[in-house]
Amino acid sequence: MNLIIRQGRLLDRSGLWDIGVRGERIESVAGRINAAGAREIDAAGRLVAPTYVNGHVHLDKCNLGDVMRPNRTNSFQECLEITWEHKRGYTVDDIVARASRAIIEGIHNGTTVFRVFADVDSIGGLRPLEGVLALREKWRGIVRIEVVDFPQEAIIRDPGTFELMEEGMRMGADIVGGLPWHEHLDADAQRHIDQCFTLAKKFDKDIHMLVDDTDNPNSRSLEYLAVKTMREGFAGRVAASHCGALAAYDEVHAHKVMAQVKDAGISISTNPHISLVAQGRYDQEPIRRGVTRVKQLWRQGVNVFSSQDDVNDPYYPFGRNDQQEVAAFVCHACHMTYPDEIRAVFSFVTENAARALRLEGYGVTPGCRADLNVLAAPTIQHVLRLQQPPAWVIAQGEILAHNEIKRESKWAL
Ligand SMILES: [Zn+2]
């Protein structure tokens, strides 16, 4: 075996375990593996879990925070406009350089799968997509990058975008993106969704849309997306991010829509750190959190996951491409602090995210891909409490990163 991780804890299982890796796969999980590995890691009772999956991140615009003018309002419109100033002049090399910094941060923070959104519109044309496709090539064989063909300026209100998206799919994008709530009219939002399905069926690809990313209770594209998903037989192949308006619907309508989402097999990505700063901007006090109905969706059996979304860009000045930080925000913003809730939130950045992306071989059982984090603590609660990066990050049986926290004082912890 090329790698053996010794004496780690596993999720939902008691005891300490050795994990043996041959090539890119886990070969055995046992209390004691008697063979020697070419390389061995002593987990020393820390938790070993599959690497984190970041199912929604905009790396074409990441790290613009270092060069852009300040965002004075944080309104959606100003976020768009600041991005326009840079998007017109993007080059492929510029995107790959800025995005690679975020990928490296992500690796150090234990993420090895990234679903990367690339803007496709009349402002930047296909350049952002070219940049993200080049990023995928640069990192191929190290981490997994999926490219989303994403209409950041919507489709109907930005003529020519559908044709650009079609060309983007031909160029090799993996996922059809969408932003229906940004259309001028409900009827246009529905046409937008229809056109995304036209592309998804033509190229046999999955769909990931940003849906009803607003406090406005009249923003109602999620129900149409759910019904369309059922009618087109796309169960399990559609993800929707944000869905903040769902929280603003009255209870009767919200329950109807949540049942439709469940029946349609749509996965919902909540990114609360973004919603906390983007929504509630018209509220005086109390200020709403802008987060969708995470706990209700989870309890109803909807596949909920959570993602970084933005890293140091016009929409969000923070972000470390760190799914542990994202999970901690979910715990706080969604009131998920009981043991079963903390376990669920951890699944939002691991198993559920993997299910949303339909990843093959995800887990810590023989035959799964050897994409593993040796985390910094023995339990999820302490991993999220301490917010320390994984001690070791492994992808395809190779060690990608090792983190050591060095603290010096006269007291020992
Ligand atoms: Zn986003």
Side-chain angles (χ1 to χ4, degrees):
M1 280 180 269
N2 46 315
L3 176 68
I4 297 176
I5 301 168
R6 299 282 185 193
Q7 300 302 285
R9 287 180 208 281
L10 298 177
L11 288 166
D12 313 322
R13 294 168 76 171
S14 58
L16 294 172
W17 301 87
D18 287 357
I19 300 154
V21 174
R22 188 178 302 278
E24 299 182 355
R25 299 270 164 179
I26 296 171
E27 184 173 272
S28 67
V29 178
R32 176 77 202 171
I33 295 173
N34 288 319
R39 179 91 193 257
E40 300 212 355
I41 289 173
D42 181 10
R46 285 171 290 200
L47 190 61
V48 180
T51 50
Y52 298 116
V53 175
N54 184 351
H56 171 176
V57 64
H58 300 264
L59 295 187
D60 53 345
K61 58 192 75 150
C62 76
N63 291 317
L64 286 180
D66 297 343
V67 292
M68 70 185 208
R69 68 175 167 85
N71 187 336
R72 302 280 182 205
T73 64
N74 208 59
S75 64
F76 185 67
Q77 187 61 27
E78 186 169 3
C79 294
L80 288 171
E81 288 172 9
I82 293 175
T83 309
W84 295 344
E85 293 165 15
H86 298 274
K87 187 154 49 175
R88 291 189 184 101
Y90 282 168
T91 66
V92 168
D93 289 348
D94 157 50
I95 292 168
V96 171
R98 280 186 288 103
S100 291
R101 284 166 51 201
I103 292 286
I104 293 163
E105 276 188 307
I107 290 171
H108 277 270
N109 291 324
T111 301
T112 64
V113 183
F114 305 86
R115 179 174 275 185
V116 181
F117 285 61
D119 290 8
V120 172
D121 50 56
S122 62
I123 296 155
L126 288 161
R127 185 62 50 78
L129 186 82
E130 287 172 43
V132 174
L133 288 169
L135 182 81
R136 187 180 68 185
E137 286 314 305
K138 175 175 172 170
W139 289 93
R140 189 179 289 283
I142 303 168
V143 294
R144 284 185 279 177
I145 291 176
E146 289 186 351
V147 180
V148 184
D149 191 0
F150 174 59
Q152 175 73 79
E153 310 295 330
I155 299 176
I156 312 304
R157 68 186 275 175
D158 188 31
T161 294
F162 178 79
E163 290 73 19
L164 287 169
M165 287 178 72
E166 190 167 24
E167 181 59 21
M169 298 310 297
R170 262 186 232 111
M171 287 162 62
D174 302 294
I175 304 289
V176 177
L179 189 69
W181 71 275
H182 188 44
E183 297 290 1
H184 288 303
L185 299 168
D186 291 349
D188 290 350
Q190 296 184 0
R191 270 182 67 204
H192 179 126
I193 290 169
D194 289 345
Q195 294 193 350
C196 292
F197 273 89
T198 298
L199 288 178
K201 288 190 292 182
K202 180 170 181 179
F203 292 92
D204 191 23
K205 298 292 186 187
D206 292 356
I207 292 172
H208 191 152
M209 296 196 193
L210 278 50
V211 178
D212 301 332
D213 188 12
T214 167
D215 300 317
N216 182 352
N218 297 311
S219 184
R220 302 219 163 165
S221 47
L222 183 57
E223 59 210 62
Y224 186 82
L225 177 64
V227 172
K228 181 78 177 170
T229 300
M230 287 187 258
R231 288 180 182 162
E232 297 290 354
F234 260 61
R237 300 186 61 184
V238 176
S241 286
H242 304 304
C243 308
L246 179 62
Y249 300 163
D250 70 54
E251 292 300 319
V252 177
H253 192 66
H255 279 80
K256 177 184 171 186
V257 177
M258 287 190 286
Q260 290 171 330
V261 167
K262 172 81 167 52
D263 290 347
I266 291 178
S267 294
I268 302 283
S269 179
T270 182
N271 313 329
H273 51 294
I274 304 298
S275 301
L276 284 167
V277 299
Q279 306 305 330
R281 292 275 169 169
Y282 295 102
D283 292 348
Q284 296 304 308
E285 300 291 348
I287 297 172
R288 283 172 288 182
R289 298 171 187 220
V291 180
T292 194
R293 295 175 182 248
V294 171
K295 209 186 281 197
Q296 286 175 292
L297 289 163
W298 162 58
R299 285 198 176 134
Q300 291 184 23
V302 173
N303 187 52
V304 178
F305 66 115
S306 193
S307 323
Q308 176 68 63
D309 201 352
D310 293 281
V311 177
N312 184 26
D313 69 14
Y315 294 76
Y316 187 63
F318 310 114
R320 303 181 300 183
N321 219 359
D322 182 353
Q323 292 292 82
Q324 290 180 178
E325 183 177 73
V326 167
F329 271 111
V330 178
C331 291
H332 288 79
C334 306
H335 287 172
M336 295 183 76
T337 54
Y338 298 149
D340 64 323
E341 294 170 345
I342 293 172
R343 175 67 185 91
V345 171
F346 194 76
S347 76
F348 293 178
V349 291
T350 54
E351 304 111 294
N352 288 18
R355 190 174 302 122
L357 272 61
R358 299 203 294 154
L359 299 182
E360 173 274 327
Y362 188 86
V364 191
T365 51
C368 286
R369 291 171 60 106
D371 296 352
L372 298 164
N373 284 330
V374 179
L375 294 162
T379 67
I380 297 170
Q381 177 208 343
H382 290 292
V383 166
L384 298 185
R385 180 180 74 85
L386 295 169
Q387 289 292 310
Q388 291 175 1
W392 282 274
V393 180
I394 297 150
Q396 299 163 109
E398 299 282 335
I399 296 171
L400 298 190
H402 172 50
N403 293 295
E404 267 178 52
I405 305 294
K406 195 167 181 197
R407 286 176 165 157
E408 290 185 40
S409 74
K410 64 180 181 179
W411 302 282
L413 259 181

